[in-house]
Amino acid sequence: MPHLTVHLPESRLSGNEPGLIAALTDAVVDVYGEWARALVSIRLAGVPAGRFAQGGKAVDANASVVLGVRAGVFDRPDAAQITARLGAALTDAVTRVVGEDLRAGTMVELVASPPERTFVGGTRAV
C-alpha cells in the first residue's frame, strides 16, 4: 500500500488540497499502474509560517514528501528506474499544483517497510 505524508507550508497548502490529492495519486498510478489507485493513502500536513527551515533559516518554498513503499521495490532489477520515476513524478505533482518555485526545495524520501511491519486495521497487510 503506497502511503504518502506530505508537509507543505500551510499558506501554500490551503485551498490546494483536492488538486494535490489528485495529482499525487496520479503520480503513484503513473509509476505503479492503475491497480494501485485504490491503495494510495495520503496525509497532508500544513506547516505554519516559520516552521520550515533550510540552512538554519525559515523558508516558505520547501516541501517534504515521504512515500512508504514495500521493501521489495528496492530488490527489483528495475529499482533504480522505479525510484527515480517516483521521485520525479511526486515532485512534479507538488510543483504543478502548489507552484514551480517549490521544485528546488521539494524533498522526496522513499521509506521501505517489510511486509511483516505493515498493518492496516490492526491486521498485517499482505
Side-chain angles (χ1 to χ4, degrees):
M1 172 187 329
H3 54 276
L4 294 98
T5 302
V6 181
H7 289 89
L8 289 161
E10 181 63 44
S11 62
R12 307 295 293 269
L13 176 60
S14 184
N16 286 313
E17 296 90 346
L20 192 55
I21 289 168
L24 291 167
T25 301
D26 289 345
V28 172
V29 169
D30 286 348
V31 175
Y32 281 121
E34 191 61 40
W35 65 267
R37 183 174 301 280
L39 301 175
V40 177
S41 173
I42 299 173
R43 289 170 300 283
L44 301 176
V47 179
R51 293 193 182 171
F52 243 124
Q54 181 74 41
K57 297 179 183 178
V59 295
D60 189 33
N62 279 21
S64 170
V65 180
V66 177
L67 172 60
V69 296
R70 294 291 178 107
V73 74
F74 298 109
D75 297 330
R76 295 171 49 139
D78 60 350
Q81 292 84 11
I82 286 185
T83 56
R85 287 178 60 204
L86 285 168
L90 293 169
T91 300
D92 289 346
V94 168
T95 57
R96 187 171 46 254
V97 174
V98 183
E100 184 63 34
D101 62 310
L102 264 69
R103 183 172 297 279
T106 297
M107 179 181 71
V108 175
E109 181 180 9
L110 306 179
V111 178
S113 296
E116 68 274 9
R117 295 185 190 166
T118 302
F119 296 82
V120 176
T123 305
R124 182 175 294 144
V126 289

